[in-house]
């Protein structure tokens, strides 16, 4: 019992991640790495048509193929598997759900809709047999455009949703009509938020092991939320939740695409139930692009009203948000709650109205994709502010400063009804401007323009909603679950600590950052804390890792649990040191009698004595552990300001991204190295949307960017060094003040780069270009401007 | 039809009979059972499956197992000795050059190849050298830092 006390804080230190050694040595196990005795392999037959009636489906030849164990279609699954539920039923929107079947029956509604599954002894055999399934399709007219799908005469996807409108949701605050009728200036733009492919490097995968003798299922699944998978799997398959174990082992990125509940996972479970064998299914990348959810896909008509001197007076918009062919798990909440409620951003906007139409199209279902609704809101606002600045001839930075909400530390009510927690938007903006020496840069831009060089400077500020969220609010906005998080902190007799969390990090590094929280709160070495997650059989319930909520909510649960432990340890210390608990002080992992620092017990002493329980105060239970269910009182609202500098070559349309500066405020940083890494990755994903990425469908609903050959995610040689800075504004309601950083970069960077490119083209009077800003599109915009002049 | 092959993986010879169409990456993962090598695409773009074949980096999805007959393969499992990371692995760890870890085995071998050819590369040369490997988490910046760090610590002796 001679462990020395800890004094140095590890919270705030950029220590190396404990996740990494296993990832760097190939010993980490992802779902596709799981191998079980007797395992067989599934492959899905997917529709090659965007919209068609199945007139004949013959699997007899496939069933005879070498190694084939079984072939199943909807005729087999329909009596067992229920439709996949949508779990975000946004109220007041006349939401119409339509059956989302694990295997399509009679009609297919997008390229990739699964119609049959082959199970074989080897993966190659399963793919061979797919070729032998005969399907006759009677093709139907398809529609993929989010606006055109609502037009008269458009093909209809679901009988339940006439006009293909799944919901119509409105957010309104202030007197919008008055704002526009009395506006001195109105700027308008149609913005296309193109469809994106999330492209987590690990495709989706499931290994299902059903044991008929016990009725128990173990499902290894690459998911961001194993506890939600357990719940949904129970609903779809009928296996009771207590007999269902979901394990999210190592997960190779998600970015929102591993939130949804997927047909392929449930079909894999079905195969295991029917065959009594462990079954593995892993997507190919091309299959992933068809069958794993996509992101964005909005058409937005936006109008901004303002005074001549740049005061914003109103915002009005109409958005067609594609849902794809079916309503994915959280899809309706994304263009509404996570988008519409954030429309006023960091600005004082007295009046706004948004009409959102969630529409069915013959395309892959859309889900959350990094930022989920907030990038689409931020882009809209930041784009329109630049339009306004251009219209009234005032520097875009000055227009922003005129409208930004002044610094506040404890609550600010905005027009959409949200209460932001804390913010210093001007502070972040000033820091970003100072980093690039904004005024000097503007002068340089003017000088180079005279030489025929076209530099552009893009600026954006943002605030986002994170740490989802108070469960009462979740219920009020139709989320079919809670949004609290839980943590168990357990001291072993030797003074080592296990932490069990319900959240499910998949690359963000919380095994490290959460150990940092515990180490400081309890005064133990960070190496003495192990964080366990991702297995529903040995972790408490959690609602998943998305919406930058794991540290913001799960981290709070952890902090509260450690404080409960400290309270109990204090009582035991008082008892053992024969002093009143009021006389016990705590510092750096030691409990001592006030004024007598040598009469002390370390936290490790207490852990041992609590666990052996030889001498406890009357009524105290043995053990030293605590469980917390933390339901946050409010969301958190990280914010920041980004600046991009580009040069555009007018003769080729080529864009050179010269500088990127990110100032983000996520509150106090537990591990600044990890925070910086999150910003790098997020910024680059947003740049990808601005410059290179688009899921392209042709009019018949064929996905033209169906493989990594055609879909252009950013590569190392296309990017500058991202300059990462921060400000620190704690959240007033969070036990550690932290806010969340996972999505910040993506939310701001698309519009920052876009604004920079349009700024560079100012001499050509190019007002807008459809994203991604490929050289061809930029060149054409310049050409048509030159021809028009 | 099947053919016999002998492929040495991380120093151990494996004599197996395989279908001629079997990809090397599937040989490594499914036949030998070394799952550290990852598959991130089906068009040879992502580079997650990069390994060393007789000391040179290749994408193991672009090579048939029968083509690798008689050769010596190093996978990510073969780099650390007695649990001690090699200089490149350690550099990725020190510089936070990975997040979800899925592209990492391939990145480490892409970096290995880069340093083999350019022992002291510039940041630009590193970025160019990583063209064939995709990462969706890191934005590549810390991967570049990790490779610079490894180059410095190896002092040009990759």
């Amino acid at each position: 019992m001679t462990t020395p006390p800890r004094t140095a804080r590890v919270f705030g230190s950029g220590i190396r991640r404990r996740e990494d050694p296993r990832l760097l040595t190939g010993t980490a196990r992802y779902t596709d790495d799981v191998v079980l005795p007797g395992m067989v392999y599934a492959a899905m037959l997917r529709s090659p048509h965007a919209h068609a009636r199945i007139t004949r489906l013959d699997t007899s030849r496939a069933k005879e193929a070498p190694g084939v164990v079984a072939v199943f279609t909807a005729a087999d699954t329909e009596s067992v598997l229920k439709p996949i539920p949508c779990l975000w039923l946004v109220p007041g929107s006349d939401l119409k759900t339509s059956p989302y079947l694990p295997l399509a029956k009679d009609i297919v509604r997008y390229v990739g809709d699964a119609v049959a599954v082959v199970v074989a002894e080897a993966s190659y055999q399963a793919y061979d047999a797919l070729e032998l399934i005969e399907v006759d399709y009677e093709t139907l007219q398809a529609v993929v455009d989010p606006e055109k799908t609502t037009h008269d005469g458009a093909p209809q996807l679901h009988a339940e949703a006439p006009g293909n409108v799944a919901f119509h949701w409105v957010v309104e605050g202030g007197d919008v009509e008055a704002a526009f009728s009395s506006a001195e200036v109105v700027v308008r733009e149609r913005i296309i938020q193109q469809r994106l492919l999330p492209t987590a490097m690990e495709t989706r995968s499931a290994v299902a092991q059903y044991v008929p003798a016990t009725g128990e299922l173990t499902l290894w699944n690459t998911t961001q939320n194993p506890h939600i998978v357990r719940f949904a799997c129970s609903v779809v398959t009928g296996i009771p939740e207590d007999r269902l174990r979901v394990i999210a082992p190592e997960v190779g990125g998600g970015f929102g695409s591993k939130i949804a509940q997927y047909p392929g996972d449930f079909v894999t479970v079905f195969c295991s139930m029917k065959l009594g064998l462990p079954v593995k299914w892993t997507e190919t990348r091309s299959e992933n692009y068809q069958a794993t959810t996509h992101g964005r896909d909005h058409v937005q008509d936006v109008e901004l009203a303002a005074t001549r001197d740049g005061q914003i007076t109103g915002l009005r918009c109409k958005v067609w948000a594609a849902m794809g062919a079916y309503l994915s798990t959280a899809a309706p909440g994304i263009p509404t709650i996570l988008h519409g409620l954030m429309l006023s951003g960091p600005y004082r906007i007295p009046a706004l109205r948004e009409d959102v139409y969630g529409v069915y199209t013959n395309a892959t279902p859309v889900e959350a994709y990094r930022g989920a609704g907030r990038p689409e809101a931020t882009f809209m606002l930041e784009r329109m502010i630049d339009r306004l600045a251009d219209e009234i001839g005032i520097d875009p930075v000055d227009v922003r400063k005129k409208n930004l909400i002044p610094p506040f530390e404890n609550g600010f009510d905005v027009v959409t009804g949200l209460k932001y927690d804390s913010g210093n938007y001007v502070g972040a903006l000033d820091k970003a401007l100072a980093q690039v020496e904004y005024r000097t840069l503007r002068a340089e831009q003017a000088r180079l323009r005279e030489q025929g060089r076209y530099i552009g400077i893009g600026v954006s500020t943002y605030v986002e909603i994170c740490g989802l969220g108070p469960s009462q609010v979740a219920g009020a906005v139709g989320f079919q679950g809670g949004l609290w998080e839980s943590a168990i902190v357990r001291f072993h007799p030797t003074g080592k600590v296990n932490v069990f969390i319900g959240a499910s990090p998949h690359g963000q590094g919380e095994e490290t950052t959460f150990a940092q929280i515990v180490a400081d709160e309890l005064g133990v070495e960070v190496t003495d804390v192990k964080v366990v997650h991702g297995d529903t059989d040995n972790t408490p319930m959690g609602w998943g890792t998305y919406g930058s909520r794991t540290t913001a909510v799960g981290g709070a649960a952890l902090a509260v649990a450690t404080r409960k432990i400290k309270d109990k340890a204090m009582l035991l210390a008082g008892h053992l040191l024969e002093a009143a608990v009021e006389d016990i002080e705590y510092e750096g992992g030691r409990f001592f009698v006030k004024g007598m620092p040598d009469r002390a017990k370390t936290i490790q002493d207490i852990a041992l004595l609590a666990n052996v329980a030889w001498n406890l105060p009357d009524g105290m239970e043995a053990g030293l552990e605590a469980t917390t269910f933390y339901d946050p009182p409010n969301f958190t609202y990280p914010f920041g300001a980004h600046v991009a500098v580009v040069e555009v070559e007018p003769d080729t349309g080529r864009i050179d991204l010269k500088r990127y500066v990110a100032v983000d405020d996520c509150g106090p940083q537990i591990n600044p190295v990890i925070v910086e890494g999150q910003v790098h990755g997020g910024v680059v994903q947003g740049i990808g949307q601005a410059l290179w990425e688009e899921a392209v469908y042709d009019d018949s609903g064929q996905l033209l960017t169906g493989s990594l050959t055609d879909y252009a995610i950013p590569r190392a040689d296309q990017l500058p060094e991202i300059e990462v800075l921060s400000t620190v504004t704690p959240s007033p309601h969070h036990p550690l003040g932290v806010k969340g950083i996972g999505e910040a970069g993506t939310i701001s960077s698309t519009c920052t780069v876009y604004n920079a490119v349009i700024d560079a083209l100012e001499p050509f009077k190019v007002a807008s270009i459809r994203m991604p800003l490929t050289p061809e599109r930029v060149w054409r915009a310049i050409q048509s401007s030159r021809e028009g002049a | 039809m099947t053919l016999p092959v002998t492929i040495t993986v991380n120093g151990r010879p494996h004599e197996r009979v395989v279908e001629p169409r079997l990809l090397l990456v599937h040989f490594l993962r499914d036949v030998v059972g070394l799952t550290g090598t990852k598959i991130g695409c089906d068009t040879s773009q992502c580079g997650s499956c990069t390994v060393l074949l007789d000391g040179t980096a290749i994408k193991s999805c672009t090579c048939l197992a029968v083509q690798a007959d008689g050769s010596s393969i190093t996978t990510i499992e073969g780099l650390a000795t007695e649990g001690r990371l090699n200089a490149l692995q350690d550099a990725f760890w020190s510089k936070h050059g990975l997040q979800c870890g899925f592209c990492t085995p391939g990145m480490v071998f892409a970096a290995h190849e880069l340093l083999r050819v350019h022992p002291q590369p510039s940041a630009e040369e590193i970025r160019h050298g990583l063209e064939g490997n995709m990462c969706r988490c890191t934005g590549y910046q810390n991967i570049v830092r990790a490779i610079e760090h490894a180059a410095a610590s190896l002092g040009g002796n990759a």
Side-chain angles (χ1 to χ4, degrees):
Chain A
M1 294 188 192
T2 53
T3 313
R6 278 186 76 255
T7 47
R9 270 171 65 84
V10 67
F11 187 112
S13 160
I15 59 169
R16 305 206 284 190
R17 298 197 324 168
R18 59 192 41 205
E19 290 89 342
D20 293 357
R22 66 175 189 260
L23 297 168
L24 280 160
T25 52
T27 41
R29 289 280 171 269
Y30 298 79
T31 302
D32 190 46
D33 303 337
V34 172
V35 177
L36 301 172
M39 191 167 77
V40 290
Y41 298 81
M44 307 285 164
L45 182 73
R46 299 187 177 280
S47 167
H49 301 292
H51 200 190
R53 197 179 303 282
I54 300 170
T55 56
R56 190 176 71 95
L57 179 50
D58 182 352
T59 61
S60 53
R61 283 179 64 215
K63 282 178 175 161
E64 301 304 317
V68 169
V69 178
V71 182
F72 299 115
T73 67
D76 305 295
T77 56
E78 67 180 341
S79 60
V80 178
L81 300 180
K82 292 195 171 55
I84 301 165
C86 176
L87 297 178
W88 203 334
L89 307 175
V90 175
S93 69
D94 195 19
L95 182 81
K96 301 173 189 83
T97 59
S98 306
Y100 183 10
L101 301 177
L103 287 178
K105 190 190 173 198
D106 302 332
I107 292 184
V108 290
R109 294 183 177 83
Y110 69 98
V111 169
D113 217 348
V115 298
V117 58
V118 172
V119 185
E121 287 163 8
S123 170
Y124 280 39
Q125 291 172 329
Y127 282 100
D128 287 345
L130 286 185
E131 310 272 331
L132 302 175
I133 298 175
E134 294 171 20
V135 195
D136 288 348
Y137 293 99
E138 176 194 324
T139 56
L140 302 169
Q141 203 193 344
V143 60
V144 292
D145 183 277
E147 188 199 0
K148 288 179 187 155
T149 191
T150 62
H151 290 178
D152 289 344
Q156 299 294 297
L157 270 81
H158 297 282
E160 298 82 2
N164 294 326
V165 175
F167 60 85
H168 172 207
W169 179 86
V170 178
V171 58
E172 189 163 22
D175 191 342
V176 183
E177 292 307 319
F180 278 85
S181 60
S182 64
E184 293 173 16
V185 188
V186 175
V187 286
R188 297 185 174 83
E189 185 162 325
R190 167 162 280 207
I191 294 169
I192 310 290
Q193 279 282 331
Q194 80 270 32
R195 189 177 263 259
L196 302 175
L197 304 176
T199 319
M201 290 318 298
E202 180 205 24
T203 59
R204 284 187 327 94
S205 181
V207 175
Q209 183 174 37
Y210 182 75
V211 180
T214 60
E216 291 179 343
L217 174 80
T218 305
L219 176 65
W220 288 261
N221 193 204
T222 171
T223 176
Q224 298 174 222
N225 28 247
H227 293 273
I228 293 183
V229 173
R230 181 179 61 181
F231 163 73
C233 191
S234 172
V235 170
V236 173
T237 65
I239 299 170
E241 220 178 338
D242 60 307
R243 299 198 185 174
L244 231 160
R245 177 183 185 186
V246 177
I247 300 171
E250 219 69 68
V251 172
F255 314 112
S257 72
K258 292 175 183 171
I259 294 172
Q261 307 308 302
Y262 282 99
D265 299 341
F266 299 128
V267 170
T268 305
V269 170
F270 171 85
C271 293
S272 184
M273 289 168 76
K274 276 284 169 195
L275 301 171
L277 296 170
V279 180
K280 180 192 282 188
W281 167 66
T282 300
E283 289 175 330
T284 63
R285 173 61 64 193
S286 305
E287 189 179 15
N288 170 269
Y289 276 179
Q290 292 182 0
T292 287
T293 54
H294 296 177
R296 317 277 190 262
D297 205 6
H298 288 195
V299 172
Q300 307 171 333
D301 279 342
V302 197
E303 300 173 282
L304 186 76
T307 60
R308 272 274 152 214
D309 63 356
Q311 191 76 53
I312 299 169
T313 54
L315 176 70
R316 185 163 60 190
C317 41
K318 201 171 182 180
V319 170
W320 293 267
M323 296 286 106
Y326 303 99
L327 290 183
S328 184
T329 309
I334 292 156
T336 53
I337 310 305
L338 296 179
H339 170 78
L341 297 183
M342 291 306 296
L343 267 191
S344 63
Y347 305 105
R348 281 169 303 181
I349 298 181
L352 70 77
R353 177 184 168 109
E354 181 181 48
D355 285 70
V356 179
Y357 297 89
V359 297
Y360 288 115
T361 57
N362 291 111
T364 300
V366 171
E367 251 293 349
Y369 170 58
R370 203 169 191 171
R374 291 151 284 163
E376 299 94 312
T378 299
F379 189 100
M380 183 190 281
L381 200 49
E382 294 301 308
R383 185 64 218 129
M384 296 316 286
I385 288 178
D386 267 28
R387 283 298 285 262
L388 172 65
D390 189 48
E391 179 71 24
I392 59 180
I394 297 178
D395 187 289
V397 164
D398 296 332
V399 176
R400 285 181 172 81
K401 286 195 169 176
K402 195 175 181 77
N403 290 282
L404 283 173
I405 297 165
F408 60 100
E409 289 175 358
N410 198 3
F412 186 91
D413 294 303
V414 298
V415 66
T416 57
L418 297 174
K419 185 190 274 294
Y420 295 172
D421 59 348
S422 59
N424 182 357
Y425 309 133
V426 181
L429 180 56
D430 280 339
K431 191 160 186 174
L433 296 173
Q435 175 74 6
V436 296
E437 298 181 70
Y438 183 69
R439 296 294 163 198
T440 312
L441 195 58
R442 282 283 178 209
E444 173 81 355
Q445 176 188 38
R447 196 178 59 76
L448 288 170
R449 236 172 229 178
E450 285 170 16
Q451 300 172 10
R453 289 180 60 190
Y454 298 90
I455 302 293
I457 305 159
V459 177
S460 78
T461 54
Y462 74 92
V463 57
E464 58 152 330
I465 183 169
C466 281
L468 318 176
S471 297
Q472 204 179 352
V473 178
V477 299
F479 185 74
Q480 303 297 296
L483 281 171
W484 44 265
E485 282 300 320
S486 62
I488 298 170
V489 178
R490 179 177 300 156
F491 259 102
H492 299 293
T494 53
K496 311 294 181 188
V497 183
N498 267 159
V499 174
F500 304 87
I501 57 169
S504 198
H506 42 279
Q508 298 90 343
E510 273 96 352
E511 288 177 36
T512 303
T513 50
F514 279 16
Q516 290 179 263
I517 293 174
V518 173
D520 272 4
E521 291 287 332
L522 293 176
V524 296
E525 293 299 329
V526 70
T527 48
D528 286 347
V529 184
K530 184 186 173 187
V531 178
V532 177
H533 62 85
D535 182 342
T536 60
D537 259 14
N538 64 21
T539 60
M541 176 68 188
W543 293 96
T545 289
Y546 46 80
S548 305
R549 65 187 296 278
T550 294
T551 302
V553 187
L558 194 53
V560 173
T562 58
R563 288 167 195 179
K564 282 186 188 174
I565 285 202
K566 224 153 45 183
D567 288 345
K568 178 173 179 178
M570 193 78 94
L571 287 174
L572 183 51
H575 175 74
L576 295 167
L577 295 168
E578 296 172 342
V581 69
E582 301 78 37
D583 293 333
I584 300 294
E585 289 197 343
Y586 168 84
E587 201 185 323
R590 287 172 90 248
F591 299 86
F592 55 91
V593 181
K594 222 173 258 178
M596 305 170 70
D598 291 340
R599 261 184 79 194
K601 295 282 179 193
T602 66
I603 186 88
Q604 290 84 0
D605 296 336
I606 301 284
L608 176 62
L609 294 167
N611 272 292
V612 297
W614 291 337
N615 177 17
L616 300 181
D618 285 345
M620 180 180 279
E621 291 182 4
L624 189 59
E625 81 171 63
T627 301
T628 296
F629 294 81
Y630 181 82
D631 203 347
N634 190 5
F635 302 94
T636 59
Y637 293 89
F639 60 90
H642 290 200
V643 181
V645 182
V646 302
E647 180 166 2
V648 178
E649 211 175 78
D651 292 340
T652 61
R654 189 175 170 278
I655 295 162
D656 180 16
L657 181 54
K658 300 178 90 67
R659 274 187 86 176
Y660 197 94
V661 172
V663 178
D664 297 289
D665 192 323
C666 61
Q669 300 181 3
I670 302 165
N671 184 319
V673 173
I674 287 178
V675 168
E676 190 190 12
Q678 288 293 310
V679 173
H680 289 163
V683 163
V684 167
Q685 257 173 314
I687 293 171
Q689 177 177 4
L691 298 183
W692 304 298
E693 296 184 35
E694 179 173 17
V696 181
Y697 281 92
D698 70 10
D699 289 340
S700 72
Q702 286 298 327
L703 178 62
L704 302 181
T705 51
S707 78
L708 257 177
T709 312
D710 309 297
Y711 188 79
I713 71 166
R715 292 194 317 253
D717 59 336
Q718 299 169 310
L719 298 158
E721 283 267 312
I722 314 293
E723 300 164 56
V724 179
L725 294 83
S726 57
T727 56
V728 177
T729 307
S731 173
H733 66 72
H734 189 284
L736 302 167
V738 305
K739 291 190 172 187
I741 191 65
E743 295 159 294
T746 313
I747 288 168
S748 208
S749 63
T750 306
C751 55
T752 306
V753 170
Y754 185 97
N755 279 347
V757 173
I758 299 296
D759 181 59
L761 301 179
E762 200 272 334
F764 301 103
K765 298 295 166 208
V766 171
S768 69
I769 307 176
R770 201 185 189 290
M771 290 191 290
L773 303 174
T774 59
E776 182 191 345
R777 284 183 181 160
V778 173
W779 181 83
R780 282 186 190 283
I782 294 168
Q783 285 310 107
S784 60
S785 146
R786 278 174 169 164
E787 283 158 16
Chain B
M1 187 178 90
T2 53
L3 291 169
V5 293
T6 303
I7 300 172
T8 300
V9 184
N10 303 330
R12 259 184 66 199
H14 294 265
E15 282 182 47
R16 299 294 161 91
V17 174
V18 301
E19 282 190 77
R21 64 173 173 169
L22 183 73
L23 297 176
L24 177 60
V25 65
H26 289 134
F27 178 84
L28 295 170
R29 287 180 55 82
D30 302 339
V31 179
V32 180
L34 292 173
T35 55
T37 304
K38 299 302 177 210
I39 302 172
C41 75
D42 45 8
T43 50
S44 299
Q45 252 78 39
C46 79
S48 300
C49 67
T50 307
V51 297
L52 297 185
L53 184 143
D54 293 333
T56 303
I58 62 150
K59 291 180 176 177
S60 60
C61 72
T62 61
C63 177
L64 298 168
V66 292
Q67 291 175 296
D69 185 25
S71 63
S72 182
I73 304 292
T74 306
T75 71
I76 194 72
E77 289 94 339
L79 288 186
T81 38
E82 291 170 8
R84 221 177 46 248
L85 302 184
N86 80 1
L88 258 173
Q89 290 169 311
D90 194 65
F92 271 74
W93 191 16
S94 296
K95 296 297 171 186
H96 188 28
L98 62 153
Q99 289 181 26
C100 84
F102 197 82
C103 74
T104 307
M107 281 292 174
V108 167
F109 284 114
H112 184 279
E113 181 71 8
L114 180 68
L115 295 184
R116 191 176 69 83
V117 180
H118 297 285
Q120 294 295 333
S122 66
E124 199 184 333
E125 283 170 330
I126 293 172
R127 286 179 178 273
H128 184 70
L130 295 176
E131 257 186 335
N133 289 70
M134 291 174 175
C135 171
R136 194 60 155 166
C137 293
T138 64
Y140 304 99
Q141 191 150 324
N142 285 341
I143 295 177
V144 175
R145 287 177 182 167
I147 297 171
E148 287 174 330
H149 184 70
S153 70
L154 288 165
N157 300 312

